[in-house]
Amino acid sequence: MGGLLGLRKVKVKKPERLAMLAAQLKAEGVLHLKQAAERLGVSEMTVRRDLAAAPDTFHYLGGYILAPQTERDGLYRLDKENDEHAEAKDAACRRVAALIAPGDTIFLDCGTTTPHLIAYLPTEVPLTVVCYSLNIANRLAQRPNIRMILLGGLFHPAAQTFSGDEAIHAMEHLRINHAILSAGGVHDQQGVTCSNFNEVPIKQIAMQRALRKTLVIDSSKLRTVRPAFFAKISQFDEIVTENGLLPRASHQGA
Amino acid sequence: MGGLLGLRKVKVKKPERLAMLAAQLKAEGVLHLKQAAERLGVSEMTVRRDLAAAPDTFHYLGGYILAPQTERDGLYRLDKENDEHAEAKDAACRRVAALIAPGDTIFLDCGTTTPHLIAYLPTEVPLTVVCYSLNIANRLAQRPNIRMILLGGLFHPAAQTFSGDEAIHAMEHLRINHAILSAGGVHDQQGVTCSNFNEVPIKQIAMQRALRKTLVIDSSKLRTVRPAFFAKISQFDEIVTENGLLPRASHQGA
DNA sequence: TCCCATCTGTGACAATCTTCACAGAATATG
DNA sequence: CATATTCTGTGAAGATTGTCACAGATGGGA
């Protein structure tokens, strides 16, 4: 250290540094990487490495360290895992949002596509949304001015959905304008399919009771098949992907 | 439009974009500038300008848009606000957990007390929990090996609960061993009361159908009254507070 | 229709963040 | 004390982000 006598360097080890970081963040909420490095008396590189070693303790975004978020836990697990085509799904949902009419009672399917729609739902006009997924319900709960009806029943952790006779029975008392469904596979011959058999009855009832049926998918689903069949392509009024409406020709199949 | 019928170009103006951003953030907490631009269908530059025009609405750091702190954890809002007696509630729930038998089907009330119980529910033995609150459902969903049945219906944002004839109807098909209820007020003369009238029917049905009825409260609720009456003190098999069981003498009242 | 004010997209440049490899320092171990 | 291991700092290259100016697009009024 350049022979500057008396300049005592205070050495702090990793666990201690992490504790100091946590304390600073508690007080300030956000810390710039450069600040953090200065305050801890180490290089930015070291701070980076510390953070990388404790990935769950802090949030790091674009040069800033954020205080850990208390509990945003498993809420949006599904999406995070399976957002391969998140952008396509989002784009498709944006198109679907334009199809929604004021005053509609909408049935909103579960899955990883339909959650994207919620951000685009209009909130200045009356709107009722019927759903059967915990994930969807959580998002709807956070939007103002949307009447939400959740079809309850037994919870299926894998899909984060509810099912049961009661849910199906409940639907029979609802007047649905517009069912917005999604699917894991859409195939000319094999029709429209999904992965979970327990979703089939509720999807079918929803389609049966809805005046208008819209299928929203990202285009990677086209020409694929999943185990559980729930509808023919021709049963839908329109099929929306990130590229727009599917040409009507396809509707003649299956 | 490449022959894709009905492909409508959606033009969105600034106020609307800000609203969409806010909604997305509410749901996801963080948004990358690039994502935001794509979802809104505008350039990154425009998003930047939008953000600059509404400096108090969003947090922006190193390429990421953050939801204001308050909205990021909307999920557990209820608790945060009203956890004055959180420790007492927690202690009371710990006592209640000891009353739960393996294989029980439990009805779990909504409110700010009952969520504390969930952490203490046993997961090594079969257990079914029936609930009607989104808050409770979210917590149960995160515990393994618990069968959860959610009574659905119309969502009430203020209390984060569901209600409706269907929910009540659904209960009639369930065999409940043990109803664990909470209350906003417990009073010798006025009985057991809560704040929301729409919770009354479901609480009453649950009590009617349950073999054992436990009331769990923190002791600050004793000798207070809330607007909605739902049971007499004597209807409960036990009343548990952070200090233990309420002496049986009190059960003679109301 | 034209003009004006405003909004929006683009490209260029500067500033910053990210990652990597390497070398020196600190620490542990025998 | 020597060696091995781990930890830390540095600098450079590449990717990303921030800022700015300018031009085209849009949307009212006159």
Side-chain angles (χ1 to χ4, degrees), chain B residues 1-18:
Chain B
M1 303 268 152
L4 291 174
L5 308 174
L7 216 173
R8 169 185 345 173
K9 182 150 186 193
V10 188
K11 265 294 163 187
V12 194
K13 279 179 225 158
K14 185 151 76 182
E16 208 170 335
R17 284 199 306 261
L18 289 174

Side-chain angles (χ1 to χ4, degrees), chain A residues 12 14 17 41-43 45-46 49-50:
Chain A
V12 193
K14 184 151 77 184
R17 286 198 306 261
V42 296
S43 70
M45 192 67 230
T46 299
R49 285 194 268 239
D50 285 355

Side-chain angles (χ1 to χ4, degrees), chain B residues 194-214:
Chain B
C194 64
S195 301
N196 296 300
F197 286 92
N198 57 48
E199 297 169 13
V200 171
I202 204 160
K203 282 178 200 258
Q204 289 183 332
I205 297 270
M207 291 188 66
Q208 193 178 310
R209 297 199 51 75
L211 299 179
R212 179 177 187 173
K213 279 86 75 178
T214 301

Side-chain angles (χ1 to χ4, degrees), chain A residues 12-214:
Chain A
V12 193
K13 280 179 225 158
K14 184 151 77 184
E16 209 171 334
R17 286 198 306 261
L18 288 174
M20 288 169 71
L21 267 184
Q24 300 257 339
L25 284 173
K26 206 170 189 178
E28 311 199 12
V30 194
L31 214 51
H32 195 271
L33 182 66
K34 192 185 287 180
Q35 294 178 323
E38 283 176 10
R39 298 196 191 178
L40 298 180
V42 296
S43 70
E44 297 183 21
M45 192 67 230
T46 299
V47 178
R48 278 178 200 282
R49 285 194 268 239
D50 285 355
L51 294 174
D56 298 328
T57 315
F58 305 98
H59 288 245
Y60 184 73
L61 285 181
Y64 294 84
I65 309 166
L66 303 181
Q69 221 153 336
T70 41
E71 33 194 328
R72 206 165 39 111
D73 354 40
L75 184 49
Y76 303 115
R77 217 176 317 153
L78 276 181
D79 301 32
K80 298 277 162 66
E81 285 174 11
N82 189 355
D83 68 348
E84 284 189 34
H85 305 95
E87 289 171 22
K89 290 170 179 174
D90 201 83
C93 285
R94 221 176 311 143
R95 292 176 187 279
V96 170
L99 305 177
I100 292 171
D104 267 358
T105 293
I106 290 173
F107 174 88
L108 190 55
D109 203 0
C110 65
T112 57
T113 303
T114 44
H116 290 271
L117 176 63
I118 294 170
Y120 302 118
L121 291 175
T123 54
E124 315 78 33
V125 297
L127 195 65
T128 302
V129 180
V130 179
C131 64
Y132 66 107
S133 147
L134 183 60
N135 200 12
I136 299 271
N138 278 315
R139 290 172 184 239
L140 286 169
Q142 291 174 11
R143 301 225 49 188
N145 291 328
I146 292 188
R147 269 168 58 94
M148 186 227 304
I149 293 172
L150 176 64
L151 305 171
L154 180 65
F155 182 66
H156 301 273
Q160 302 268 303
T161 58
F162 300 93
S163 76
D165 293 346
E166 301 305 329
I168 288 169
H169 192 257
M171 282 259 275
E172 289 169 3
H173 295 289
L174 294 172
R175 193 184 49 80
I176 311 270
N177 289 90
H178 191 168
I180 298 172
L181 298 241
S182 193
V186 176
H187 189 277
D188 277 2
Q189 271 74 52
Q190 304 295 318
V192 187
T193 50
C194 64
S195 301
N196 295 302
F197 286 91
N198 58 47
E199 296 169 15
V200 171
I202 206 160
K203 283 179 199 258
Q204 289 183 332
I205 296 269
M207 291 188 66
Q208 193 178 310
R209 298 199 50 76
L211 300 178
R212 179 176 187 175
K213 279 86 76 180
T214 301

Side-chain angles (χ1 to χ4, degrees), chain B residues 179-247:
Chain B
I180 298 171
L181 298 242
S182 192
V186 176
H187 189 276
D188 277 1
Q189 271 75 53
Q190 304 294 318
V192 187
T193 51
C194 64
S195 301
N196 296 300
F197 286 92
N198 57 48
E199 297 169 13
V200 171
I202 204 160
K203 282 178 200 258
Q204 289 183 332
I205 297 270
M207 291 188 66
Q208 193 178 310
R209 297 199 51 75
L211 299 179
R212 179 177 187 173
K213 279 86 75 178
T214 301
L215 182 66
V216 53
I217 51 168
D218 66 89
S219 59
S220 73
K221 304 297 196 306
L222 295 170
R223 288 175 294 283
T224 66
V225 178
R226 295 299 179 103
F229 170 89
F230 69 89
K232 292 192 285 186
I233 289 180
S234 58
Q235 289 177 265
F236 286 95
D237 293 282
E238 62 253 324
I239 299 181
V240 181
T241 76
E242 71 272 25
N243 302 316
L245 291 186
L246 218 65

